[in-house]
Amino acid sequence: MAAFSCFPLAARCSLLLTAALVLALSHGAHGYGDVGAGLSSSFYDDSCPNARDIVRRVIQNARVVDARIPASLIRLHFHDCFVQGCDGSLLLDNDLPAIMTEKEVLANDRSARGFKVVDSIKRALENACPGIVSCADILALASEISVKLAGGPRWSVPLGRRDGTTTNIESAKNLPSPFDSLETLQEKFRHLGLDDTDLVALQGAHTFGRAQCQFTQRNCSAGQDEETLANLDTITPDVFDNKYYGNLLRGRAPLPSDQVMLSDPVAAAITARIVRRFSGSQKDFFKNFAASMVKMGNISPLTGRAGEIRNNCRRVNRKPY
């Protein structure tokens, strides 16, 4: 910001300085992890007051027939936010040449799932509040509700995101991998404004759900199909708790990218102490996980008049079908 002198018009200059400060703060509010970026937990209180209850009901019904759904839904939110911000771009299907789906990049292909549940949530919300709740917000709400239903913490979800109208394949190709080193994971998280505590806390989402055996440290047993599922937490695979960190301490984390938080040569000085902290206190883990989820959920949201509220999470509105 350019400097300027206040003398001798002190009163007028005071007003100018105040306006400049407000402008600077308003621009700063759009940084990573800042809830001030046009989001509010009360965003739908008037326009769709039952939004959370509707999302919860659909997830509860889906969970009855598929215990993996809560973990699958939170993974969609992760992989959406890590690409070009939390804008629902991951949900878009191919519409070539304009839209090339992120669902088919290596990190998502044949592993990202839960899209039909998102479709069901969207239909239920459109029936109750047409054109109000974005697909990006559905992912944010579904993540919090999924964690809570599995026994984890509840947090106040900032809402008001709008949906993107583009995808970003090149960025999607750089999503965190099960085989990333600790240094690579740090780089990918820091690029989005997430620190080492966020890294260890958010990796804790692997405390429930499944992964294909081809991505695990032990790989697949002889004769197993590479897509055979392995529990990420062998003790409580469908419960959101802190036992994941105990598995790390015993060297039993299925994913190599989890175990590196202890085994990597630099882990002792960076992430190992946080792993031990969370292993020793579920309350500490829950508190930090909730804070990190809010921080991640505020990565570059579209607000105001940016983007749109999709009628169908798989398609942008401007395209006639």
Side-chain angles (χ1 to χ4, degrees), residues 258-275:
D258 287 341
Q259 198 62 52
V260 295
M261 294 191 293
L262 277 179
S263 63
D264 193 283
V266 299
I270 300 172
T271 50
R273 61 181 179 80
I274 307 172
V275 170

Side-chain angles (χ1 to χ4, degrees), residues 9 13 24 59-60 91 93 107 120 126 136 141 156-157 163 174 199 209 223 226 232 251-252 256-257 291 300 303 315:
L9 302 176
C13 196
I59 295 174
Q60 280 181 313
L91 303 175
D93 285 342
S120 296
E126 287 298 303
L141 277 170
S156 182
V157 182
D163 297 320
N174 201 38
L199 166 61
E226 64 181 13
L232 291 176
R252 297 178 181 173
S257 57
S300 301
T303 58
R315 302 167 177 175

Side-chain angles (χ1 to χ4, degrees), residues 129-152:
C129 320
I132 298 297
V133 182
S134 69
C135 301
D137 273 350
I138 287 174
L139 292 182
L141 277 170
S143 294
E144 187 272 337
I145 291 167
S146 293
V147 167
K148 182 61 180 175
L149 287 174

